[in-house]
Amino acid sequence: MKQFSAIFSFEYRGIVKSKTFIVVTVLLAVLVAIALSLPTIIGWFSSDDEPVDPDTEITAHILLADGSEDGSLGEALPAYAAALSAALPGYEFDTTDLSGDELTDAIDGETADGAVIFSSMLDARYVVRSSNMYDSVSGVLSEVMRQTYLSFAMAEHGFTPEEAAEVLSAVPTVETVETEKSFMSAYACTYVMIMFLYMAVLLYGNMVLTSVATEKSSRAMELLITTVNPSSLMFGKVLGVGLAALTQLIILIAVGLGAYGINRSSYDAIPIIDEILSGITPEVIIYLIVFFILGFFLYAFMFGALGSTISRLEESNTASTPIVFLILIAFFISMTAMTSGNTDSLLVVISSFIPFFSPMVMYVRICMGFVPLWQIVVSVALMVGANVFIGWLAARIYRIGVLLYGKAPKLGEVFRMLRRSKQ
Amino acid sequence: MKLEVVDVCKSFGTHLVLDKVSFTAESGSAVGLLGRNGAGKTTTIRIIMGFFPSDSGQVLLDGKPLDPHEVKIGYLPEERGLYPKKNIGEQMIYLARLRGMTAPAAEKAARTWLERVELGEYFDKRLDTLSKGNQQKIQLALTLINDPDIIILDEPFSGLDPVNALMLKKLIREYTGGNKLALFSSHQMNQVEEFCDEIALLNGGKIALAGNLREIKRSYPRDTIAVSLDCPASEANRAYAQLERVTSSDDAARLIVSSERRGDTLRLKLVSDDAKNELLSVFLRAGVDLAHFDVLEPTLEEIFIAVTGEGQVADR
């Protein structure tokens, strides 16, 4: 036990005090702080960028002409001009008696930037020298025409202009009431958590592998293995790295909460953030920690065992491929389930019971769907069982692996050696 | 304490590496496990350390099977190596703690031992800032850091300069003087000879010779004498001529089988072990000024070569 705590604290401090760890943690913390301060930062910039005063600058001069055969629209043109001017600050709209070629000449002669020729209340042509992407006349025009048409029609039926305006300005409100969990909020927060699980397992798992391989390649292993029990060595290492990972996680969460607290006022304007945050319940956090711990150790044991079979650091990438594959499969199943919203498909349900996948997949199911309690219990129990078994197996492989130098053995050879050593 | 290796056999694959290896080491003595490259020295030591199991045979400490984790053993593996990227002090404390010391005791011992190997100022430096020889000294210091009851050193002299080799010998001497047990392997016979009490000579996985070094040497014929005269170097030739005059006298010649000049020393093979006193009195009567008159024992190297067979390639 004394040895174990020595190994544990040596590994933990070795990581936490390393330059890489400090740099990465600080960098991530800064990123989190910046990301959570974005609403405030955007606020600073947009406050300088006040909307242009409609009186100050007229950028375009548009003519409105009656193009109907009987000239019956003359009455409506001032209404169009008023409505368009109100909708499009920066544009000047004038009615005109010019028609046809005269209008074209006016535009070509640059006395006007464009012209709208109404052939009926529901039919108009917008003539412009060249339409640029900031020209919003055509976009607004049809709505203005529709409104004008309606108010004229209503006036014909005896509505006063005030009544007509009231009817036309009525805006219906629609409230969505979801009887199941909000997809949007669950998706966003689960996405963040799954990404975290994926990164943590991959990064810290690899750290275990590198640490074991370093001890082997620097030849410190022979001294270690003759001094301490190989199992203590491996478990101490895995636990040390795990705690380092947790330290980083807690620092990042603390920074995140701090940054959110400071910038809180800027968030009130953005309802979607509240919606996402409402998805983070204590239950979700507890499950995250449970699945993180179970998933991390399961993979860390495998990385540790694998690290013991290679002699040089350069082999570590090749060696870790099968494990990375497993993590990727878990990640993709989770992502597919999340984006499709279908968390109850057969594949997803089955893989939420397979310990290599369940830390991520079951987590997605819990966050985005409804999982009976017994299924969660069974899945967690299976993971605990798998952890015990893989931990035991990893310790055995480790014991043999650390003595091997030279070419890294194939998986099959490792198991043959295991069987032989049992006899 | 008494460490016994009894009939240990070990094969790697179909290759028999150790064939019934037996020898004994006792407290207060330094035992040299000697042999050519690939003779099985490291394999023997690794089996003692429990690095891997033997196929058959036993390693006993005071009659009971040895558990290296139960006894305080200082082990210097053949494969040297610690954590190159970590601070020297930090890893010394770590490894001392792994061997059961408390953190404060470990730190104190680490600092003391660094001073002893004259690297005191490197406590906070990274290991890879040291030269290879100095890293070796760190590793030696680590071997002794927890005052072990047994030290096992695999090729401790390799990589050390003469000054450091001398320091190591002093350390081992001091250590066995404290009634502790030292076992080390080497193929450098001249290094071992001066302070090794017992030897076990491995050849091709078998013990070719084992026992007390002095007795082994005594078991060789004691009929060769080396004589030289006390004179300045400039008169070496005159002195040598004087020696030859004495040995060619009738009294001496009947005792001598053959003679051979080695520098200013004359080596004389005598007719029997008993003839040496008679020869000495001839020299004394002749009134020459003797520098030394020694019974020539075979050197360890000569024994080694005689046993392992010159030119014969020992397999692993």
Side-chain angles (χ1 to χ4, degrees):
Chain A
M1 205 55 215
K2 240 165 86 181
Q3 285 184 332
F4 184 81
S5 69
I7 297 167
F8 172 69
S9 74
F10 180 75
E11 293 293 339
Y12 175 71
R13 283 188 309 182
I15 295 170
V16 175
K17 276 164 60 186
S18 77
K19 276 204 198 88
T20 327
F21 182 86
I22 294 171
V23 168
V24 168
T25 310
V26 169
L27 246 139
L28 284 177
V30 169
L31 273 179
V32 166
I34 290 179
L36 286 172
S37 307
L38 271 183
T40 312
I41 296 169
I42 291 169
W44 293 338
F45 285 108
S46 55
S47 64
D48 298 340
D49 200 20
E50 287 285 313
V52 188
D53 189 341
D55 298 335
T56 48
E57 211 183 338
I58 301 298
T59 56
H61 183 224
I62 310 282
L63 297 173
L64 306 178
D66 180 0
S68 63
E69 283 168 11
D70 54 358
S72 63
L73 290 174
E75 199 183 334
L77 286 185
Y80 285 130
L84 283 169
S85 297
L88 295 168
Y91 283 84
E92 189 182 35
F93 294 94
D94 282 324
T95 59
T96 179
D97 295 331
L98 300 175
S99 65
D101 292 343
E102 293 165 341
L103 279 172
T104 322
D105 290 345
I107 295 168
D108 289 343
E110 298 196 13
T111 53
D113 294 295
V116 183
I117 302 141
F118 297 92
S119 44
S120 77
M121 286 201 86
L122 294 173
D123 194 6
R125 221 154 28 99
Y126 177 44
V127 183
V128 68
R129 206 176 304 127
S130 77
S131 173
N132 69 46
M133 60 188 291
Y134 300 110
D135 189 342
S136 17
V137 172
S138 55
V140 174
L141 192 56
S142 74
E143 181 57 23
V144 167
M145 284 171 72
R146 202 176 64 84
Q147 293 265 344
T148 312
Y149 175 74
L150 288 175
S151 69
F152 269 69
M154 285 160 89
E156 263 173 39
H157 285 82
F159 281 75
T160 65
E162 290 75 27
E163 284 171 336
E166 199 189 317
V167 170
L168 286 172
S169 64
V171 177
T173 59
V174 177
E175 193 191 352
T176 314
V177 178
E178 290 166 286
T179 57
E180 295 206 348
K181 287 182 188 173
S182 159
F183 181 77
M184 205 32 230
S185 112
Y187 180 82
C189 95
T190 314
Y191 186 86
V192 172
M193 306 272 181
I194 286 293
M195 278 309 277
F196 167 73
L197 272 178
Y198 171 72
M199 300 289 283
V201 167
L202 209 59
L203 282 177
Y204 290 103
N206 249 309
M207 208 177 261
V208 173
L209 179 119
T210 315
S211 167
V212 177
T214 308
E215 274 172 3
K216 262 191 89 175
S217 67
S218 76
R219 308 276 163 164
M221 194 55 96
E222 182 162 351
L223 198 58
L224 290 170
I225 217 83
T226 48
T227 315
V228 294
N229 187 327
S231 311
S232 315
L233 206 56
M234 194 193 74
F235 290 124
K237 198 180 284 292
V238 168
L239 222 63
V241 174
L243 193 70
L246 221 57
T247 308
Q248 198 168 51
L249 173 66
I250 287 168
I251 291 173
L252 293 182
I253 288 180
V255 169
L257 287 178
Y260 177 67
I262 290 169
N263 297 295
R264 199 168 177 118
S265 56
S266 312
Y267 278 91
D268 294 341
I270 311 170
I272 191 159
I273 302 283
D274 272 336
E275 204 179 332
I276 290 172
L277 292 177
S278 74
I280 304 180
T281 58
E283 192 194 26
V284 165
I285 299 274
I286 290 170
Y287 279 125
L288 177 74
I289 292 173
V290 168
F291 285 116
F292 168 71
I293 290 174
L294 289 173
F296 169 76
F297 282 116
L298 189 67
Y299 277 102
F301 288 145
M302 292 197 284
F303 274 116
L306 220 77
S308 73
T309 63
I310 60 176
S311 339
R312 293 179 311 131
L313 264 174
E314 297 84 76
E315 294 166 11
S316 62
N317 276 337
T318 333
S320 62
T321 309
I323 300 179
V324 174
F325 240 55
L326 281 179
I327 300 175
L328 273 176
I329 293 174
F331 183 68
F332 280 123
I333 294 176
S334 312
M335 279 296 165
T336 314
M338 277 170 64
T339 44
S340 69
N342 183 3
T343 55
D344 294 321
S345 73
L346 192 63
L347 175 72
V348 174
V349 172
I350 289 176
S351 49
S352 71
F353 289 102
I354 298 173
F356 298 120
F357 309 141
S358 46
M360 283 189 217
V361 180
M362 188 49 112
Y363 187 67
V364 168
R365 284 188 65 202
I366 291 174
C367 290
M368 301 199 54
F370 283 92
V371 186
L373 187 64
W374 71 264
Q375 288 196 2
I376 299 177
V377 171
V378 169
S379 173
V380 168
L382 282 174
M383 259 188 279
V384 170
N387 263 288
V388 172
F389 175 70
I390 297 283
W392 171 82
L393 191 70
R396 292 189 61 92
I397 293 177
Y398 190 89
R399 192 182 274 276
I400 295 173
V402 291
L403 307 181
L404 297 175
Y405 281 98
K407 204 169 117 323
K410 298 231 161 50
L411 209 62
E413 290 171 43
V414 173
F415 281 105
R416 262 201 302 285
M417 277 185 269
L418 271 183
R419 264 207 309 281
R420 260 208 310 265
S421 77
K422 249 183 240 176
Q423 288 158 2
Chain B
M1 266 188 301
K2 188 176 179 189
L3 180 71
E4 289 171 278
V5 173
V6 188
D7 289 338
V8 165
C9 296
K10 177 78 186 174
S11 311
F12 290 123
T14 55
H15 188 75
L16 187 62
V17 179
L18 296 181
D19 184 6
K20 294 204 172 226
V21 167
S22 302
F23 63 91
T24 307
E26 277 184 83
S27 294
S29 67
V31 179
L33 188 59
L34 312 177
R36 307 176 50 162
N37 297 332
K41 304 184 292 289
T42 296
T43 305
T44 308
I45 285 177
R46 285 182 165 173
I47 286 172
I48 296 173
M49 287 308 297
F51 190 69
F52 40 60
S54 60
D55 296 343
S56 64
Q58 281 181 299
V59 178
L60 304 173
L61 185 70
D62 295 331
K64 287 190 282 275
L66 169 73
D67 179 352
H69 293 288
E70 296 290 305
V71 190
K72 270 171 43 176
I73 301 184
Y75 174 45
L76 177 72
E78 188 208 18
E79 299 274 15
R80 310 289 151 75
L82 297 164
Y83 299 92
K85 306 273 175 222
K86 288 196 196 281
N87 284 353
I88 290 167
E90 199 182 325
Q91 53 187 312
M92 286 181 83
I93 293 171
Y94 173 52
L95 287 159
R97 285 188 67 197
L98 288 186
R99 285 154 72 182
M101 295 177 92
T102 62
E107 177 166 358
K108 195 161 163 263
R111 288 191 188 277
T112 313
W113 273 101
L114 273 182
E115 290 296 335
R116 286 199 68 173
V117 296
E118 296 156 356
L119 294 170
E121 68 270 37
Y122 291 98
F123 189 87
D124 288 319
K125 295 270 169 22
R126 267 169 45 162
L127 183 68
D128 58 5
T129 59
L130 292 187
S131 72
K132 214 151 186 171
N134 279 339
Q135 292 191 22
Q136 174 103 295
K137 278 161 75 178
I138 299 281
Q139 197 127 23
L140 269 171
L142 257 175
T143 309
L144 298 167
I145 197 166
N146 66 335
D147 191 25
D149 297 321
I150 298 175
I151 51 172
I152 296 183
L153 314 173
D154 202 349
E155 297 284 0
F157 296 104
S158 72
L160 291 183
D161 64 32
V163 177
N164 285 325
L166 199 68
M167 187 187 73
L168 171 61
K169 282 182 217 169
K170 260 171 67 187
L171 277 179
I172 297 179
R173 266 257 164 273
E174 193 180 303
Y175 183 81
T176 53
N179 204 30
K180 297 193 170 177
L181 196 159
L183 170 69
F184 63 92
S185 77
S186 186
H187 59 261
Q188 287 158 285
M189 299 306 140
N190 48 346
Q191 297 278 23
V192 169
E193 187 155 17
E194 308 155 34
F195 71 101
C196 184
D197 308 301
E198 308 272 329
I199 61 163
L201 217 165
L202 269 171
N203 190 33
K206 288 189 180 125
I207 292 285
L209 192 63
N212 185 288
L213 183 57
R214 277 183 63 192
E215 277 166 23
I216 289 172
K217 285 188 171 183
R218 280 193 72 85
S219 72
Y220 282 79
R222 307 179 62 74
D223 57 0
T224 307
I225 302 289
V227 202
S228 67
L229 291 186
D230 204 9
C231 69
S234 56
E235 294 179 32
N237 281 331
R238 203 180 52 80
Y240 184 73
Q242 202 180 351
L243 270 179
E244 282 215 304
R245 220 172 24 248
V246 178
T247 52
S248 55
S249 69
D250 288 347
D251 282 348
R254 66 186 170 83
L255 302 169
I256 297 168
V257 178
S258 63
S259 70
E260 181 195 351
R261 183 179 178 176
R262 293 267 180 105
D264 58 356
T265 307
L266 194 62
R267 284 191 174 192
L268 304 168
K269 190 165 169 55
L270 307 184
V271 289
S272 73
D273 289 8
D274 312 326
K276 57 180 182 290
N277 287 341
E278 225 174 306
L279 183 66
L280 180 59
S281 59
V282 172
F283 274 106
L284 292 176
R285 278 202 302 276
V288 290
D289 189 9
L290 285 175
H292 53 68
F293 182 91
D294 294 332
V295 175
L296 212 66
E297 286 184 332
T299 64
L300 187 53
E301 193 160 355
E302 283 161 343
I303 296 173
F304 179 73
I305 291 171
V307 170
T308 58
E310 216 171 352
Q312 178 189 320
V313 180
D315 28 319
R316 214 191 138 155

